[in-house]
């Protein structure tokens, strides 16, 4: 059974815990695949909120370093990092120094290019001498939009060449504003990395995955016109400075182009995400259900292929 620790148990960390509990269920045919060994979070409110979800033998820490130094930490197989974006780099440095566990890191990896490169260096160095029990360390950034069923199907059809050579990819997300987080860290560029990092790294990842090419040019325009205006913060940070809408055009080495259309004050959209891939043989469309809705019913299909006449 895989022993897992969770660093950061706010709303996303709690979502990971719920998923782990499904894997841990003794009623599964395999008897359970995972066990939540421990959690760590410096915020008391988050620890209290997560407590009802935790198994009785789960160890609870207010400092991730204390968890890593606990004698039982040697049995941890994997760590999920779901802390605020801005402290990923410090948490990861401690993990690479004190543990050989595999890693699932919530997106984005870090808030700056420099910190991301530092993590890749630490990862390579940690695998110079793989752990005898765990082997080479696996480091995975959680780009879960790849696994939304309709989007996963689009990726599969793109790989099959159903639409032919890809020329255009458009991704539209019209959704609700950012949720409230501890200290509202997700509403400021300095702590979140900015909206196009915190939220839209999903879509830039999808562009590269679907088109199978690397970007060579980016053109972007955005603003913060509606959300969190006049909100203010007593700690001196003032109003949030993140974008709430943007257009981004990305040109790829293959000659393909992609467009992101983002609006975070459009709660009443029929589909929260809409993807359209156009190739020389036709187009493929995938749609994501609006937040909180049940999966699309047959009268509202979430996937469509339209081929050009032969």
């Amino acid at each position: 059974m895989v022993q897992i620790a969770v660093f950061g148990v706010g709303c996303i960390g709690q979502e990971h815990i719920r998923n782990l509990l499904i894997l841990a269920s003794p009623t599964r045919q395999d008897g359970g695949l995972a066990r939540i060994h421990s959690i760590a979070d410096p915020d008391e409110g988050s620890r209290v909120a997560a407590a009802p979800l935790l198994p009785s033998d789960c160890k609870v820490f207010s400092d991730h370093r204390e968890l890593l130094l606990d004698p039982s930490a040697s049995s941890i197989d994997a760590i999920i990092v779901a802390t605020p974006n801005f402290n990923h780099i410090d948490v990861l440095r401690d993990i690479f120094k004190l543990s050989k566990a595999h890693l699932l890191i919530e997106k984005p990896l870090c808030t700056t290019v420099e910190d991301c490169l530092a993590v890749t260096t630490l990862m390579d160095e940690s695998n110079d001498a793989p752990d005898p029990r765990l082997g080479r360390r696996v480091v995975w950034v959680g780009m879960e939009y790849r696994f939304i069923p309709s989007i996963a199907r689009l990726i599969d059809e793109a790989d099959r060449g159903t639409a032919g050579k890809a020329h255009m990819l458009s991704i539209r997300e019209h959704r609700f504003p950012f949720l409230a987080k501890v200290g509202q860290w997700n509403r400021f560029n300095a702590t979140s990395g900015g909206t196009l990092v915190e939220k839209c790294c999903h879509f830039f990842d999808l562009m590269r995955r679907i088109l199978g090419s690397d970007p060579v040019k980016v053109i972007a325009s955005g603003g913060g016109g509606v959300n969190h205006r006049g909100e203010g913060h007593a700690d001196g940070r003032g109003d949030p400075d993140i974008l709430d809408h943007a257009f981004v055009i990305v040109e790829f080495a293959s000659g393909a182009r992609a467009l992101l259309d983002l609006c975070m004050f459009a709660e009443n959209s029929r589909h929260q995400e809409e993807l359209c891939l156009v190739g020389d043989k036709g187009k493929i469309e995938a749609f994501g259900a609006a937040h909180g809705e049940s999966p699309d019913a047959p009268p509202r299909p979430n996937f469509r292929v339209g081929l050009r006449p032969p």
Side-chain angles (χ1 to χ4, degrees):
M1 186 172 290
V2 180
Q3 305 284 328
I4 298 177
V6 182
F7 289 10
V9 292
C11 64
I12 300 300
Q14 290 170 39
E15 184 175 336
H16 282 291
I17 290 170
R18 293 186 184 96
N19 289 332
L20 290 172
L21 291 174
I22 295 172
L23 293 175
S25 173
T27 62
R28 291 171 55 98
Q29 289 184 344
D30 52 29
L33 293 173
R35 172 179 174 266
I36 303 174
H37 172 279
S38 51
I39 63 106
D41 196 308
D43 183 73
E44 182 180 7
S46 295
R47 296 196 304 274
V48 169
L53 301 173
L54 301 175
S56 59
D57 59 349
C58 176
K59 293 176 175 286
V60 177
F61 297 85
S62 60
D63 189 316
H64 69 274
R65 288 172 289 267
E66 292 179 7
L67 188 162
L68 291 168
L69 292 170
D70 188 82
S72 69
S74 60
S75 66
I76 295 173
D77 300 303
I79 298 172
I80 297 174
V81 177
T83 63
N85 299 353
F86 66 94
N87 70 6
H88 279 193
I89 183 62
D90 293 329
V91 170
L92 290 170
R93 284 191 174 116
D94 290 333
I95 292 173
F96 280 110
K97 179 180 179 181
L98 299 172
S99 172
K100 292 290 188 178
H102 303 298
L103 289 169
L104 170 59
I105 306 164
E106 264 298 327
K107 59 78 198 168
L109 176 59
C110 294
T111 57
T112 69
V113 173
E114 292 77 13
D115 286 348
C116 289
L117 293 174
V119 171
T120 61
T121 298
L122 290 169
M123 180 180 67
D124 290 341
E125 291 174 351
S126 75
N127 279 326
D128 287 342
D131 184 77
R133 183 175 70 89
L134 297 174
R136 289 180 60 83
R137 190 196 301 265
V138 175
V139 179
W140 184 25
V141 179
M143 294 297 187
E144 68 268 25
Y145 274 48
R146 292 187 181 201
F147 306 104
I148 293 173
S150 58
I151 296 176
R153 186 175 172 189
L154 184 148
I155 292 172
D156 182 60
E157 295 291 346
D159 289 347
R160 293 170 182 262
T162 300
K165 177 178 171 56
H167 287 274
M168 300 175 69
L169 173 64
S170 63
I171 300 177
R172 184 174 84 167
E173 182 173 66
H174 284 194
R175 56 161 278 171
F176 53 93
F178 277 130
L179 299 174
K181 299 289 182 75
V182 174
Q184 311 300 357
W185 63 263
N186 58 335
R187 299 184 183 181
F188 293 87
N189 289 324
T191 46
S192 70
T195 302
L196 296 182
V197 171
E198 153 61 13
K199 183 70 196 70
C200 300
C201 58
H202 280 303
F203 306 123
F204 302 130
D205 173 66
L206 286 174
M207 290 176 184
R208 295 181 69 245
R209 174 63 185 87
I210 292 167
L211 297 174
S213 184
D214 286 326
V216 295
K217 185 177 182 180
V218 178
I219 305 166
S221 177
V226 176
N227 295 342
H228 316 304
R229 298 307 97 189
E231 194 172 84
H233 286 269
D235 57 11
R237 288 180 295 173
D239 278 353
D241 58 359
I242 53 168
L243 304 177
D244 58 20
H245 64 283
F247 290 118
V248 182
I249 297 172
V250 184
E251 297 182 3
F252 286 82
S254 65
R257 289 171 174 79
L259 168 69
L260 170 65
D261 168 1
L262 175 74
C263 181
M264 298 193 66
F265 45 89
E267 292 92 328
N268 290 317
S269 302
R270 178 175 180 180
H271 298 286
Q272 185 166 299
E273 290 88 25
E274 300 182 9
L275 280 71
C276 179
L277 173 67
V278 185
D280 54 10
K281 293 183 180 179
K283 66 187 293 185
I284 307 171
E285 297 173 283
F287 308 97
H291 185 73
E293 289 189 358
S294 59
D296 286 334
R300 291 177 55 183
N302 63 7
F303 188 83
R304 179 178 178 274
V305 176
L307 299 179
R308 301 178 66 197

